[in-house]
Amino acid sequence: MRTSAAEVGRLLKAYNSFFYVQTDDAAAAGGANGLLPCKLRGKFKRARRSLAVVPGDRVQISRLPDGSGVIEQVLPRENLLQRPAVANLTQVVLTFAAAQPDLHPLLLNRFLVLAEWSEIPRIAICVNKMDLRPDAVHLLEAYEAIGYPVYRVSAREGQGMAALREALKGQITVFAGPSGVGKSSLLNAVDSGLHLQTSHISAKIKRGRHTTRVAELIPWQGGYIVDTPGFSAMELTAMDPQRLPLYFPEFRPYLGACRFQPCSHSHEPDCAVKRAVEEGKIQQERYDAYQSLYQEIEEKRKKEYR
C-alpha cells in the first residue's frame, strides 16, 4: 500500500492498538482536532514491552490513502517517565491528598526519586483536598525548602487553583500520584471543559478507583497536561544504588565529603550525609526514606546474584 512522504507529530494517546498523533500542522493551529490514528511498523510491535512507543513521543509518520497513518520512527527522547509511561516531559506534578487517602511520606519520596531518576526538568508537589485539613497550611514546608514547589489546593473549593494554572502554561506536565487523590477532579477544576471522569472514594477501603484508564496528552494553554492512571507502588530496583543519593537534591552538597568512598551513607563512620542529618541540615524523614529505598534496591540486587 502506498504511503505519503513522512511528517512529524506528537503521540497524544494509545488506545485499542491505535496510536493517535497530533501533527505539527495541527499543533501549530492550536488544537487537538484532526488527530491521526496510526498503526505501528512491525519493528515497534516486536519491541512494545520495552516502551518503544509511549504518549509524548515525537514520531515520524507516513499517511495512508485511507486517511490513517503508520509510525515509522520515534525521534530521540529528552526524558522518559516509565510509570506512568510518558516521554518528553518538561514538568511533573506529583499529586497527593491532604486526607482521604492520607499522605504517606515514603510514598511521596518514592515518587520524587522516580521523577529525579527520570530527569524531569521541573518537579512539583500538589496537595489536593486541603478543605479536609484547613489546619495543615504548613504541610510539606520542608520539601519547599529543598526546592520542590508545593501547591496546596482544593479542587472542590477552588482553593489555590490560580497559581497551579499559571504553573501549567506552556509546559508538558504529567499529573502522577496514587489513586483517590483527585487528579481528574483537579484537572477539571483547572479547566471545566476537560470533562474528565471522576469517582468517589470507597467508604470501605478509603481508596479511590482508577477512573483514568490510559495516559493522554491534552493540549492546553500552549502546552499539554497529562492525566494518568493512579497507582500506589512502583519498581525502583532497576536503579543503581550508588546513584540513589543523587536523586535527593539536599544530599548533593555532602557527596564526596565522606571519609570512605564510595559511601552508602548508611553504616559507615564519618559520613557527611549522616552528619548533616544529625545537624538538622537534612530532614530525618528524607533520610529514613533514602535508607528504606537503598535497602530495597540492595536486597533485590543480592537476590539476582545468588
Side-chain angles (χ1 to χ4, degrees), residues 115-265:
E116 294 279 0
W117 184 30
S118 302
E119 300 182 346
I120 311 302
R122 188 174 188 270
I123 302 168
I125 303 168
C126 181
V127 185
N128 191 21
K129 305 185 185 180
M130 286 298 294
D131 55 297
L132 299 180
R133 285 193 62 188
D135 59 318
V137 292
H138 301 298
L139 188 66
L140 300 185
E141 279 187 338
Y143 289 80
E144 286 180 301
I146 295 169
Y148 295 118
V150 177
Y151 300 96
R152 301 170 185 86
V153 307
S154 168
R156 182 168 62 181
E157 303 294 332
Q159 173 187 342
M161 297 306 301
L164 181 59
R165 288 190 191 97
E166 190 63 30
L168 300 178
K169 292 179 180 177
Q171 302 288 329
I172 304 175
T173 304
V174 63
F175 281 74
S179 302
V181 299
K183 293 188 302 298
S184 297
S185 296
L186 191 62
L187 293 182
N188 286 335
V190 166
D191 187 336
S192 59
L194 296 178
H195 303 299
L196 299 177
Q197 183 182 356
T198 63
S199 72
H200 297 292
I201 294 291
S202 166
K204 182 177 181 181
I205 63 175
K206 302 300 181 182
R207 290 205 303 259
R209 288 175 288 181
H210 300 255
T211 54
T212 302
R213 302 300 180 185
V214 297
E216 177 181 358
L217 276 73
I218 304 168
W220 192 82
Q221 294 288 312
Y224 299 88
I225 52 179
V226 191
D227 187 22
T228 62
F231 55 95
S232 56
M234 70 206 74
E235 185 67 62
L236 295 175
T237 53
M239 184 184 300
D240 179 354
Q242 296 298 323
R243 295 192 61 80
L244 180 62
L246 296 172
Y247 307 135
F248 287 75
E250 70 273 40
F251 285 22
R252 294 170 191 163
Y254 308 101
L255 303 180
C258 302
R259 176 181 174 187
F260 295 97
Q261 297 294 332
C263 182
S264 70
H265 315 297

Side-chain angles (χ1 to χ4, degrees), residues 2-7 23 25 34 36 61-65 67-70:
R2 291 185 178 181
T3 60
S4 66
E7 58 185 300
T23 63
D25 288 344
L36 186 67
I61 60 172
S62 296
R63 293 179 184 258
L64 299 174
S68 65
V70 177

